[in-house]
Amino acid sequence: MNLVLGACREGSETLLHGEFGAYPPKGTRYALSLTRTELHIQRLVPKPDTDHRTVLRLIDVLGCHTMRSHMIANQSAYFCVYAYPLKKKKVAVGSGRARHRAAKTFQVDSAECYEDNQVVAEKWAAAIKCLVLGIPISSETEITRSLLPRPRRLLLLLNPFGGKGNALQWCQSHILPMITEADVSFNLIQTERQNHARELVHGISLAEWDGIVAISGDGLLHEVINGLMERPDWEEAIKMPLGILPCGSGNALAAAINCSAGFEQVLGQELLTNCTLLLCHGAVSPLDLVSVTTSSGSRSFSFLSVAWGFISDVDIESEKYRHMGSARFTLGTMVRLASLTTYRGRLSYLPALDRTAHRPILRSITMAANGSLPFQHMPLHRTVSDMGLCEERHTFCFRGVEPADEPIPSPSSPPCSSGFHSSSFNFKTLTEQLISDGKRFQGTNTAMATPTNSSARQMRGPPDDFLAPLDQPVPKSWVTVEDDFVLVLAIYQTHLGADLFTAPFACFNDGLIHLCYVKAGISRAALIRLFLAMEKGTHFEQECPHLTLLPVRAFRIEPLTRKGILTIDGERVEYGPIQGQVHHGVAKLITGSNRVKITTF
Ligand code: ADP
Ligand code: MG
């Protein structure tokens, strides 16, 4: 109890307090108080009837820039806080709240000369940025810009064909204005073909980047991870913080990041805005990877799932409806339900009997038999409504800000390394910047675009000490089930699609594979009920007898039917025996929030 009260007091401690004018200057004055989690804005003049104050949560804030007036005679300094708070939508959908951009500019005018006012503006900007980035400060700290790290340099890789093909448009309308406000420096590269991103990351100089961000669906990040693991220095390379900004049709990892921050489950551009906000906050969490071996001996690294049966069938067969965006999965699901297929196979796994999600787990290879959990559920890869609702839901407008809201950046503002300020966001400047960045990038990294030779493709990475070779029986400590399956899914994230809350108890680094399977005999109605409930993550409450969920460390799927589809992270791989094991926390994911629970293996 004392601890909780202590934490509250600590969170609400006033770090800075000041009285400022407004911009545009209409005689309005405000009292501002900054705590670790909030900026309180109280109007002083004209005196309001109530003591209502505006509270900006810092989780909704991207950054803060200092500025000065065009007119030299004006000795005021300004600071502008860029926030994306939730506001009521005009047309209520879902919870009826969406993020809107709010740029609040304050005038520092208490001193006679600009330099003194500027010191105060700088102090506020630095304090706000420190709190956004998680840099600890207290009321005792001498707050200056020197507390801040240099702007992060992110390599943005964009698949122009992800989803419905609007990744570039969304990048221009949402991502770049936001990351610019957060002082993130970037190079943006559009991929030209499949595996381009994989080849690009083979050649990059790790020291040049603070993170690599996939702007697409989960498939592009799969390429990036495998490209990094193919490098001779994979052990270092895979420590590069990875981010994802959802512009594909399958946006499972983005949905998991959104969920881990405690944000409401949203789709389309709302999910993109949430994820961009979190990317700018920058906190990093360890991420489990699963090494997956197929019958030809090829080994790859997976961050999301391995699927066989219903889920992979829907995923791959719905490719022909790609023009529909993620609605393709809904249609694919309906088509598949009409011709429900079962697959005979052997499923083996190494149970994680010592598993307690969110609690430390002891490493153990010797296991007893069955480790099944009391609850069961049915997963389905990316379906229902992770779809193009976004056009109607696009509620905020970057250019809707009054020009008067935006004084020019002051000379002492840290230079925005992408060369422009989003407060004066200009598409032409942006386009020029992208072109020049592209040139600079190619100039320094010519090796990246060269085609990969076969030896570079040789997979490196940690040894699979839980696995026997695929042509040999599984170790004795494993459990084997031979049956007819509707689907088998090994998943390691909470979400399998933006609105598929498939494994609510999963963590980025719990060291677990959540193995789900549905056996033959389930009715179509029961299957539909399960996956409708999955939107809210309540599917395992249905106690469906055909559905099983197991926490495991490793698994092997041996199809005994000749035809079928297998996917890794939603990408099709050769059909035949396949196995995988978890590698605990080997990668790093930009989750943006410090709420992510970190567990040990
Ligand atoms: P979606 O969720 O819409 O399927 P993904 O990010 O999963 O989006 O990408 C789909 C596929 O496109 C992946 O296999 C990825 O490797 C591939 N890809 C990436 N860049 C390109 C490109 N420029 N042209 C064609 N395919 C690409
Ligand atoms: Mg996990």
Side-chain angles (χ1 to χ4, degrees):
M1 187 66 179
N2 280 343
L3 265 180
V4 174
L5 287 175
C8 288
R9 271 200 298 272
E10 197 179 292
S12 57
E13 177 198 11
T14 300
L15 303 174
L16 287 179
H17 182 84
E19 288 183 23
F20 304 112
Y23 194 90
K26 289 178 185 157
T28 319
R29 293 202 71 78
Y30 294 101
L32 261 57
S33 299
L34 183 66
T35 72
R36 279 209 175 79
T37 52
E38 289 166 344
L39 176 65
H40 294 242
I41 306 167
Q42 173 117 46
R43 201 175 77 204
L44 300 173
V45 181
K47 197 166 169 22
D49 300 334
T50 65
D51 68 349
H52 169 80
R53 57 176 61 184
T54 303
V55 177
L56 271 187
R57 300 183 315 161
L58 293 182
I59 183 69
D60 299 331
V61 171
L62 269 186
C64 185
H65 288 162
T66 56
M67 298 165 183
R68 94 167 283 184
S69 167
H70 290 279
M71 286 174 301
I72 297 298
N74 184 343
Q75 295 299 311
S76 299
Y78 299 85
F79 62 96
C80 179
V81 184
Y82 303 107
Y84 290 76
L86 288 163
K87 283 202 179 146
K88 266 203 179 138
K89 290 178 194 168
K90 284 194 185 118
V91 184
V93 185
S95 75
R97 294 197 308 164
R99 290 190 187 278
H100 295 248
R101 180 179 183 271
K104 300 214 176 281
T105 306
F106 300 99
Q107 181 179 21
V108 187
D109 51 10
S110 53
E112 302 262 296
C113 68
Y114 167 73
E115 285 70 23
D116 290 350
N117 288 325
Q118 175 61 8
V119 169
V120 177
E122 280 292 344
K123 186 174 181 176
W124 276 80
I128 289 169
K129 284 194 221 173
C130 280
L131 294 170
V132 165
L133 293 173
I135 298 164
I137 52 170
S138 75
S139 49
E140 313 289 295
T141 312
E142 195 186 324
I143 299 164
T144 64
R145 251 169 55 194
S146 65
L147 293 174
L148 292 164
R150 61 158 174 74
R152 277 183 301 156
R153 295 176 295 222
L154 297 183
L155 175 56
L156 309 181
L157 300 175
L158 181 148
N159 171 7
F161 302 107
K164 276 196 210 170
N166 42 18
L168 186 60
Q169 190 195 328
W170 286 12
C171 186
Q172 285 159 348
S173 62
H174 288 66
I175 300 168
L176 299 184
M178 288 178 76
I179 66 172
T180 304
E181 286 173 343
D183 292 326
V184 170
S185 161
F186 63 88
N187 277 131
L188 173 68
I189 298 186
Q190 289 195 60
T191 57
E192 288 163 13
R193 58 187 180 280
Q194 192 163 36
N195 281 325
H196 188 189
R198 189 171 183 145
E199 290 156 14
L200 282 173
V201 302
H202 285 166
I204 60 164
S205 155
L206 298 178
E208 277 184 36
W209 305 105
D210 299 308
I212 303 176
V213 180
I215 303 178
S216 187
D218 297 307
L220 194 68
L221 187 67
H222 179 85
E223 280 192 24
V224 169
I225 286 175
N226 283 281
L228 293 172
M229 291 303 280
E230 283 159 357
R231 292 170 58 118
D233 60 348
W234 63 268
E235 229 158 331
E236 269 314 299
I238 200 62
K239 289 183 191 145
M240 172 72 71
L242 302 172
I244 190 156
L245 294 177
C247 290
S249 35
N251 300 312
L253 187 63
I257 291 170
N258 184 66
C259 174
S260 80
F263 293 165
E264 191 188 329
Q265 187 166 290
V266 287
L267 306 171
Q269 289 170 333
E270 289 182 35
L271 179 61
L272 178 61
T273 305
N274 284 357
C275 289
T276 311
L277 189 61
L278 291 168
L279 180 84
C280 293
H281 279 246
V284 169
S285 156
L287 175 70
D288 296 342
L289 293 182
V290 171
S291 70
V292 185
T293 312
T294 56
S295 52
S296 66
S298 101
R299 184 170 177 241
S300 61
F301 286 85
S302 159
F303 64 90
L304 176 61
S305 65
V306 171
W308 177 44
F310 193 86
I311 291 166
S312 51
D313 292 348
V314 169
D315 203 349
I316 299 307
E317 288 168 5
S318 68
E319 273 285 338
K320 53 181 174 283
Y321 316 124
R322 178 167 275 276
H323 62 278
M324 298 175 69
S326 50
R328 74 184 225 215
F329 300 119
T330 314
L331 182 57
T333 302
M334 295 307 152
V335 171
R336 258 287 133 189
L337 274 171
S339 57
L340 197 57
T341 312
T342 59
Y343 297 88
R344 182 126 201 111
R346 254 193 311 272
L347 174 64
S348 307
Y349 53 87
L350 173 62
L353 287 179
D354 52 352
R355 163 254 185 237
T356 345
H358 315 317
R359 282 204 217 132
I361 295 147
L362 297 171
R363 189 182 175 99
S364 167
I365 314 181
T366 329
M367 299 275 176
N370 199 327
S372 104
L373 280 178
F375 51 84
Q376 304 181 305
H377 72 188
M378 202 297 297
L380 197 82
H381 201 113
R382 318 156 165 177
T383 46
V384 209
S385 50
D386 173 15
M387 56 180 76
L389 298 174
C390 27
E391 279 78 16
E392 299 94 88
R393 293 186 181 193
H394 185 191
T395 43
F396 64 82
C397 172
F398 291 97
R399 290 174 196 86
V401 181
E402 290 169 45
D405 222 11
E406 315 276 340
I408 56 163
S410 80
S412 58
S413 265
C416 179
S417 43
S418 52
F420 57 90
H421 281 266
S422 53
S423 50
S424 54
F425 187 75
N426 175 319
F427 183 72
K428 185 163 173 284
T429 326
L430 166 66
T431 314
E432 284 162 5
Q433 183 63 35
L434 291 183
I435 293 165
S436 73
D437 276 344
K439 277 191 197 139
R440 190 166 75 232
F441 188 89
Q442 280 171 11
T444 53
N445 296 290
T446 41
M448 293 195 321
T450 49
T452 326
N453 62 35
S454 56
S455 68
R457 272 284 164 88
Q458 208 182 356
M459 186 51 72
R460 296 168 165 96
D464 291 333
D465 44 9
F466 293 160
L467 302 179
L470 256 183
D471 56 2
Q472 291 176 22
V474 293
K476 288 214 166 55
S477 52
W478 287 41
V479 178
T480 297
V481 184
E482 185 171 327
D483 217 314
D484 294 310
F485 296 96
V486 170
L487 67 90
V488 175
L489 173 75
I491 180 170
Y492 1 107
Q493 303 299 339
T494 50
H495 284 69
L496 196 55
D499 58 355
L500 289 176
F501 196 14
T502 307
F505 27 78
C507 277
F508 298 121
N509 63 329
D510 53 10
L512 294 174
I513 295 168
H514 302 273
L515 185 63
C516 314
Y517 58 88
V518 174
K519 285 190 183 177
I522 188 169
S523 67
R524 284 190 179 85
L527 199 54
I528 292 173
R529 267 199 306 276
L530 280 175
F531 96 73
L532 287 178
M534 202 179 294
E535 186 175 342
K536 299 257 181 298
T538 56
H539 42 298
F540 50 84
E541 289 167 18
Q542 299 190 354
E543 296 182 4
C544 170
H546 297 93
L547 169 70
T548 304
L549 169 75
L550 301 156
V552 306
R553 307 276 187 223
F555 67 92
R556 179 183 287 184
I557 300 169
E558 293 167 278
L560 300 173
T561 44
R562 262 200 260 143
K563 276 198 196 153
I565 295 173
L566 279 167
T567 56
I568 303 178
D569 297 350
E571 303 296 310
R572 189 172 191 168
V573 293
E574 64 189 288
Y575 191 66
I578 189 168
Q579 64 179 6
Q581 83 153 66
V582 69
H583 291 279
H584 185 227
V586 288
K588 285 186 171 170
L589 183 67
I590 307 173
T591 56
S593 81
N594 291 318
R595 290 173 45 124
V596 180
K597 297 180 189 84
I598 297 177
T599 56
T600 51
F601 198 54

